[in-house]
Amino acid sequence: MSKKILAISLLAIVSFFVSCSDKQPEAKAASQVVLPQSQPIVPVLPFTAPAKSVITVEKALIYAKASNGLVELGAKWSERIDNSKDYEKIQVLNAYNVARDQLCARAGLQGGIAEYDWITNVALKNPENKLAFEKAGFKVK
């Protein structure tokens, strides 16, 4: 999937330079499309669950940042997923999963969404992490 994103990015860059070298300034101004600036792909490392499920306050803060970002990302993508045609849904969902992985990695979870899921399903349930999560702004039962 990352090769496809890289290929699309390269095509966008090449088309930008081709359109910039056009000798007709009047036509160029009318037809030029401004592309959003893309961020470089962040490497997501394979995640292996640690032997102990105790995390630091810093990791809980990173988790909180990723959690907030994932909520916003989900809101932005949900309409796109709902409105996509049946044959596009798998591609849109795959792109959404890549976006979730990238968001988590950018927040500081090097294992991407897999690390986020491990914290959600394992570390959050460990009573030894209660203080760390509370310092990160979570209410833990």
Side-chain angles (χ1 to χ4, degrees):
M1 187 60 165
S2 63
K3 289 183 180 181
K4 288 181 183 178
I5 293 172
L6 181 61
I8 291 170
S9 298
L10 289 174
L11 285 173
I13 292 169
V14 169
S15 67
F16 174 75
F17 286 115
V18 169
S19 69
C20 286
S21 66
D22 194 2
K23 301 285 186 206
Q24 302 168 351
E26 301 87 27
K28 184 175 111 177
S31 66
Q32 186 173 1
V33 176
V34 178
L35 298 174
Q37 292 197 354
S38 63
Q39 299 281 332
I41 300 294
V42 175
V44 178
L45 304 176
F47 178 71
T48 304
K52 293 187 177 186
S53 62
V54 178
I55 64 168
T56 64
V57 173
E58 180 184 353
K59 184 65 80 172
L61 288 167
I62 291 170
Y63 173 79
K65 182 178 175 183
S67 183
N68 290 335
L70 287 170
V71 168
E72 289 182 35
L73 187 71
K76 289 180 180 180
W77 277 77
S78 64
E79 185 177 336
R80 184 172 181 193
I81 293 167
D82 290 341
N83 294 335
S84 63
K85 295 177 176 70
D86 287 341
Y87 63 89
E88 295 175 327
K89 282 202 189 285
I90 291 175
Q91 290 177 329
V92 172
L93 287 170
N94 285 338
Y96 174 60
N97 287 332
V98 170
R100 291 172 62 211
D101 227 12
Q102 283 293 297
L103 186 143
C104 290
R106 289 175 195 282
L109 299 175
Q110 294 178 339
I113 195 69
E115 185 173 0
Y116 178 87
D117 288 342
W118 176 83
I119 293 171
T120 301
N121 297 318
V122 178
L124 193 57
K125 296 175 183 175
N126 184 341
E128 294 178 47
N129 293 326
K130 182 178 180 179
L131 184 61
F133 282 110
E134 286 176 349
K135 286 184 178 182
F138 289 95
K139 290 186 180 182
V140 182
K141 295 180 182 180

